[in-house]
Amino acid sequence: GSAGSDDGVDSNTATFDATVGGNINQVSGGTLTIGSTTGPMQGDGLSLINVSGDLQIDNLQISNSNGVGLVFGPPIVDPPAMMDPPALIVPSTFNLEVSGGNITTTNDAAMSLNAMTANITLSSVTSRDSIGNGVTLERVDGMLTIGTLMVENAAGNGLDVQQSDLDMAVTTATLSDIGGEALTSHLGCQKVRC
């Protein structure tokens, strides 16, 4: 979408596969720019919901407001009525590789990733005035490297990592005016270094 619009890149129920048939082959996304500092995207930046496959992006630049910068969510199915919780999350078969870039988000989380494999390197990740967490990582396996992480004035937690086998490294972290905990890492999370 164009800067200032309300339709970032939204992919729902897609399969990222460079060659149809056989094993999944990685799709190369090159450079992807969504919004700008002078005209941030309104709404989610890059939204990948109920997708599978393997996507590689050389350079990811997201500037958005009033939506999550980078969001991945697996499919949710309704179980029988007697089951609790009322919805089951289907395990994902999606891998996202990002070689570099920046995410700047206002009024929401910079990243919200759930049930996926990641190999992501970003120079900076910034969330200001989030209505929830600054960054949420749940059931994310693989690697996440962030040069500068900044979360300011989040209503929830600054960095929330749950049930993830994730090798995460942050060079510089500034988490200020956080409504919840600055950093939460629990339920089986591995190797978070700040």
Side-chain angles (χ1 to χ4, degrees), residues 130-151:
S130 176
I131 58 175
N133 296 332
V135 173
T136 298
L137 307 169
E138 184 171 357
R139 297 188 303 139
V140 177
D141 296 339
M143 185 200 75
L144 174 61
T145 302
I146 299 173
T148 301
L149 172 64
M150 179 178 292
V151 178

Side-chain angles (χ1 to χ4, degrees), residues 7 50-51 53 68 73 76 89 91 105 108 110 117 121 134 158 160 162 172 188:
D7 58 347
N50 191 16
V51 302
V68 179
I76 296 177
I89 297 177
T105 302
D108 215 326
T117 302
T121 299
D160 190 74
Q162 302 181 37
T172 303

Side-chain angles (χ1 to χ4, degrees), residues 1-10 34-35 40-47:
S2 60
S5 73
D6 58 0
D7 58 347
V9 177
D10 182 6
I34 302 168
M41 179 69 57
Q42 296 299 309
D44 293 339
L46 175 56
S47 177

